[in-house]
């Protein structure tokens, strides 16, 4: 078989889902022909989408039953509004009764949708609780990140609540986007057009070194699939460890140590250096496999 | 701050230490000791403040656990202009620090602590997500300002004329600033007035704090969020 | 935003019943097309939602051409447009109807 790899970054959310899961296994919940689009966008005279920019459903991945959601970054920057957020919350609620091997969130979002900002903010806080409740029930939640909008704003928080975070080099995670910081604080604080700098602050490799992402993969859907399948296998073997007082105390110490270690840092350069990547230029160019080998210390 | 503490907990019934934009301590709520964690001066929440909040929650859980006593109520007194905007905080991964605070809130809830938020200043956007919105019950004082974005900024980003946004904001609570709007949408449970006895309001809020997330239904009941509950149910198959 | 419905008679050429399909994304210069089986069987009904007001003649021409290329009756098409050019509209319509027909009845 000679299958051309499909770029994850460029693909639509529908294509990502179709090619990520086992062939023809995706069945959509709340599909577009039900026309649950946003009445709030319509009231503001803005274009609407039949699925409100997110599709949710069930599928198989390497034979594992999963619930899956894909945000469409090209529709309003994947931003979360009332309907969009409720679909994600509903999917996580379904997980409690259906008990899939995992819930997969293909995050591609700048965060809250400003046209319905209050509804979006509330939905994200509901989503945060829903992710935690799903994990508490022993069902892992994975975030997959490699789209043009990355995972920002509230979706950046939701992503860091996930059990596993699979990211490509082009994927980005953060809270406030570089453009927002530049607008409010000035170009000296963050030059959002300096792409190399943005990459060294938010990019997939930096997030992997810091441990916010748990897998770094190439920017093609097959690589995302392979990593997800591997993680599904891993989680099938052992139950999710409880997020108890001891675990959170340890997490607290790690985050405190990170804040102390990089207490004045404003550039990812130092993070790469301390991880043993001595030549910064070579990190950017280093193939993902080599990068992972170096980071995980395997020969 | 003391005037606020006196009104909320009663004069001489609180021991709270202020440390910059952060404060923490204990106070009497409904005749029992409660843990108080707060921010002030419209604090921008960065990693440092997030860690202080998380540490105070973890300490409360640890202490009650080790003494095998009933878990105390935790009261969040919120005043935040939002998340800290800086390259340094983004490099650290501020979103991860906020996620950590959320996990700590969730842990406390699972350990039987009731979590009640009182917004005494501003509650904005990402800062509110990190600190306040994860509670079981959210109350707002009369001068509280709850919002994501003001209408002028929203007009700039969405290219919708400001005047039109002002008119539309009269009809719908969905985008405009205001604690009242968040009340209608179910995310602020109670609006307290200047005449209310805040001490008994707080006791009542603790009493009514449930551990399930019922905000979508509340938003439906109050007519401010008509779709969230139905769509969630449709997808959940419940 | 402007919304209007155009109905094109196609004679007695009712299509088989297929599950609904959607094609395209609502992003600037693009559009989303939903194709569904529907009534009546002898015409194609197209419901357009577009932010660009005052281009009804052009829509009529573009959609008329589409129905000539694909004279399927008993089909309802709904379009969420975000300012797509006529060429993009034609392309997306062709893709959508092919996707729709490729699905097992």
């Amino acid at each position: 078989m000679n299958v051309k790899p499909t770029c994850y970054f460029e693909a639509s959310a529908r294509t990502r889902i179709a090619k990520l899961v086992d062939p023809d296994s995706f069945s959509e919940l709340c599909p577009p022909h039900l026309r649950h689009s946003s009445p709030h966008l319509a009231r503001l005279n803005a274009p609407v989408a039949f699925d409100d920019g997110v599709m949710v459903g069930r599928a198989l991945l390497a034979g594992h039953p999963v619930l899956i959601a894909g945000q469409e970054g090209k529709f309003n920057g994947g931003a979360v509004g009332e309907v969009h957020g409720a679909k994600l919350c509903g999917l996580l609620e379904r997980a409690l009764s259906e008990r899939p091997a995992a819930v997969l969130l293909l995050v591609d979002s700048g965060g809250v949708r400003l046209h319905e900002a209050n509804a979006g903010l509330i939905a994200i806080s509901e989503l945060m609780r829903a992710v935690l409740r799903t994990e508490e029930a022993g069902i892992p939640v994975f975030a997959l990140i490699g789209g043009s909008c990355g995972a920002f704003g509230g979706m950046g928080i939701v992503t860091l609540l996930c059990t596993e975070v699979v990211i490509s080099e082009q994927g980005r995670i953060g809270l406030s986007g570089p453009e927002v910081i530049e607008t409010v604080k000035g170009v000296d604080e963050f030059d959002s057009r300096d792409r190399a700098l943005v990459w060294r602050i938010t990019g997939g490799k930096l997030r992997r070194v810091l441990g916010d992402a748990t897998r770094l993969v190439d920017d093609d859907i097959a690589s995302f699939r392979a990593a997800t399948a591997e993680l599904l296998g891993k989680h099938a073997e052992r139950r999710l460890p409880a997020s108890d007082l001891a675990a959170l105390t340890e997490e607290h110490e790690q985050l405190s140590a990170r804040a102390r270690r990089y207490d004045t840092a404003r550039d990812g350069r130092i993070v790469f250096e301390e991880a043993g990547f001595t030549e910064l230029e070579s990190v950017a160019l280093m193939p993902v496999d080599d990068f992972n080998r170096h980071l995980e210390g395997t020969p | 701050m003391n005037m606020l503490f006196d009104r909320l907990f009663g004069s001489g019934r609180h021991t709270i230490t202020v440390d910059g934009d952060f404060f923490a301590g204990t106070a009497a709520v409904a005749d029992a000791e409660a843990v108080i964690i707060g921010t002030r001066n419209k604090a921008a929440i960065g990693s440092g403040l997030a860690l202080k909040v998380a540490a105070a929650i973890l300490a409360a859980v640890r202490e009650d656990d080790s003494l095998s006593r009933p878990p105390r109520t935790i009261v969040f007194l919120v005043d935040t202009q939002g998340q800290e905007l800086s390259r340094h905080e983004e490099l650290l991964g501020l979103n991860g620090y906020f996620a950590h605070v959320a996990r700590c809130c969730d842990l406390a809830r699972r350990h039987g602590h009731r979590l009640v938020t009182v917004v005494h200043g501003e509650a904005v956007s990402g800062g509110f997500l990190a600190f306040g919105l994860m509670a079981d019950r959210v109350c707002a004082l009369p001068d509280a300002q709850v919002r994501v974005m003001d209408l002028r900024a929203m007009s700039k980003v969405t290219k919708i004329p400001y005047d039109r946004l002002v008119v539309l904001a009269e009809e719908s609570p969905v985008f405009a600033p205001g604690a009242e709007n968040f009340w209608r949408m179910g995310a602020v449970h109670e609006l307290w007035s200047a005449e209310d006895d805040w001490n008994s309001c707080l006791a009542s809020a603790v009493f009514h704090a449930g551990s399930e997330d019922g905000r979508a239904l509340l938003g439906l009941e109050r007519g401010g969020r008509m779709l969230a509950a139905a769509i969630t149910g449709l997808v959940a198959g419940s | 935003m402007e919304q209007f419905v155009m109905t094109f008679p196609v004679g007695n050429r009712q299509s088989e019943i297929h599950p609904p399909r959607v094609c395209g994304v609502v992003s600037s210069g693009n559009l989303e097309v939903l194709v569904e089986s529907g009534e009546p069987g002898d015409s194609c009904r197209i419901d357009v939602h577009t932010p660009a007001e005052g281009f009804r003649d052009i829509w009529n021409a573009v959609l008329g051409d589409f129905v000539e290329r694909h004279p399927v009756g008993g089909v309802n098409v709904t379009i969420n447009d975000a300012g797509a050019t006529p060429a993009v509209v034609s392309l997306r319509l062709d893709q959508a109807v092919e996707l729709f027909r490729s699905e097992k009845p």
Side-chain angles (χ1 to χ4, degrees), chain A residues 206-241:
Chain A
L206 191 273
R207 290 295 134 204
R208 178 68 192 101
V209 172
L210 281 174
D212 288 349
T214 55
R215 290 287 186 283
L216 180 78
V217 298
D218 279 312
D219 175 32
D220 63 73
I221 301 178
S223 298
F224 273 91
R225 175 178 160 87
T228 307
E230 183 252 317
L231 290 168
L232 284 167
K234 182 186 108 182
H235 283 280
E237 279 169 23
R238 59 183 176 84
R239 197 185 144 84
L240 207 55

Side-chain angles (χ1 to χ4, degrees), chain A residues 29-30 34 36-40 43-45 56 82-83 85-87 89-91 93-94 97 112 114-126 128-129 132-133 135-136 151-154 156-157 159-162 173-177 180-181 184-185 188-191 197 200-202 206-207 210 212 243-245 248-249 251-252 254-256 258-259 262-268 270-271, chain B residues 45 47 50-52 54-55 58 61-62 65 83-104 106-107 109-111 124-126 128-130 133-136 146-149 153-154 157-158 160 164-165 168 171-178 181-182 185-187 210-217 224-229 231-238:
Chain A
L29 299 156
C30 195
L34 297 182
H36 288 296
S37 54
S38 166
H40 312 304
R43 197 170 296 124
L44 293 174
N45 240 355
V56 296
E82 181 175 3
V83 173
K87 287 172 80 173
C89 288
L91 190 73
E93 193 173 311
R94 176 175 279 265
S97 56
V112 168
L114 291 181
H115 304 80
E116 38 188 309
N118 301 346
L121 189 78
I122 299 166
I124 284 179
S125 99
E126 288 168 333
M128 288 165 65
R129 284 190 68 170
L132 289 164
R133 190 169 58 155
E135 290 173 327
E136 174 59 20
F152 280 88
I157 306 175
T159 295
L160 268 280
L161 289 172
C162 290
I173 306 177
L175 187 62
S176 308
V180 175
I181 296 175
V184 180
K185 298 282 173 174
D188 292 341
E189 179 59 34
F190 206 154
D191 181 355
L197 176 65
R200 293 199 302 274
I201 302 287
T202 66
L206 191 273
R207 290 295 134 204
L210 281 174
D212 288 349
S243 188
D244 56 14
L245 182 58
L248 283 181
T249 303
E251 178 177 273
H252 193 84
Q254 283 172 0
L255 287 171
S256 303
R258 186 195 291 183
Y262 302 117
D263 61 345
T264 57
R266 299 176 70 232
D267 192 320
I270 183 174
V271 178
Chain B
I45 301 191
S47 53
L51 283 172
K52 282 181 185 174
L58 290 176
V61 173
R62 194 175 296 121
D65 256 18
Q83 67 266 28
E84 199 173 318
L85 293 170
S86 82
R87 208 165 90 195
H88 168 67
E89 292 294 339
E90 288 304 315
L91 175 68
L92 286 180
L94 187 53
N95 54 316
Y97 289 76
F98 285 9
H100 175 60
V101 176
R103 275 202 192 91
C104 292
D106 189 62
L107 174 81
R109 185 168 18 245
R110 283 188 276 119
H111 277 243
V124 182
S125 199
F128 196 24
L129 276 181
L133 268 178
M134 290 298 284
D136 300 312
V146 185
R147 69 171 178 275
V148 178
M149 196 179 242
M154 180 183 164
V157 179
T158 60
I160 299 163
R164 177 149 172 76
L165 289 179
L168 287 165
E171 299 163 14
S172 159
V174 83
F175 61 83
N181 285 337
F182 280 79
M185 302 183 77
S211 60
E212 291 295 314
D213 191 345
R215 290 176 288 179
L217 277 175
R225 212 153 45 114
M226 305 310 288
L227 297 169
I231 299 285
T232 301
L234 181 70
V235 174
S238 57

Side-chain angles (χ1 to χ4, degrees), chain B residues 10-202:
Chain B
S11 161
R13 289 161 61 86
H14 49 83
T15 315
I16 296 170
T17 310
V18 177
D19 164 21
D21 289 342
F22 176 79
F23 55 85
T26 56
V29 174
D31 291 326
E33 185 181 292
V35 175
I36 312 301
I37 302 170
T39 58
R40 60 187 201 129
N41 302 330
K42 304 182 176 48
I45 301 191
S47 53
L49 204 42
L51 283 172
K52 282 181 185 174
V53 169
I57 299 170
L58 290 176
V61 173
R62 194 175 296 121
E63 214 174 300
D64 292 354
D65 256 18
S66 65
L67 296 174
S68 303
R69 67 180 173 197
R72 290 167 293 171
T73 293
I74 301 176
V75 179
F76 299 131
L77 296 179
V78 172
D79 182 13
T80 168
Q81 60 177 271
Q83 67 266 28
E84 199 173 318
L85 293 170
S86 82
R87 208 165 90 195
H88 168 67
E89 292 294 339
E90 288 304 315
L91 175 68
L92 286 180
L94 187 53
N95 54 316
Y97 289 76
F98 285 9
H100 175 60
V101 176
R103 275 202 192 91
C104 292
C105 289
D106 189 62
L107 174 81
R109 185 168 18 245
R110 283 188 276 119
H111 277 243
H113 296 264
R114 289 179 182 199
L115 310 177
V116 174
T117 287
V118 178
V119 181
H120 67 93
E122 298 191 358
V124 182
S125 199
F128 196 24
L129 276 181
F131 184 51
L133 268 178
M134 290 298 284
D136 300 312
R137 201 162 181 89
V138 177
C139 312
L141 296 185
D143 53 354
Q145 295 181 42
V146 185
R147 69 171 178 275
V148 178
M149 196 179 242
D150 69 63
L151 293 187
R152 290 207 183 272
M154 180 183 164
S155 166
K156 226 180 253 177
V157 179
T158 60
K159 315 266 189 277
I160 299 163
Y162 172 76
D163 295 342
R164 177 149 172 76
L165 289 179
V166 171
V167 172
L168 287 165
E170 293 291 313
E171 299 163 14
S172 159
V174 83
F175 61 83
E180 162 87 9
N181 285 337
F182 280 79
W183 180 89
R184 280 184 63 196
M185 302 183 77
V188 167
H189 296 77
E190 303 178 20
L191 298 171
W192 300 352
S193 76
E195 293 75 40
D196 282 336
D197 171 5
W198 295 350
N199 184 263
S200 53
C201 285
L202 184 57

Side-chain angles (χ1 to χ4, degrees), chain A residues 5-19:
Chain A
T6 307
C7 173
Y8 188 96
F9 187 88
E10 296 287 345
S12 70
R14 277 185 195 281
T15 302
R16 285 177 192 156
I17 290 179
K19 300 204 171 190

Side-chain angles (χ1 to χ4, degrees), chain A residues 1-6:
Chain A
M1 274 227 308
N2 193 0
V3 182
K4 217 175 94 197
T6 307

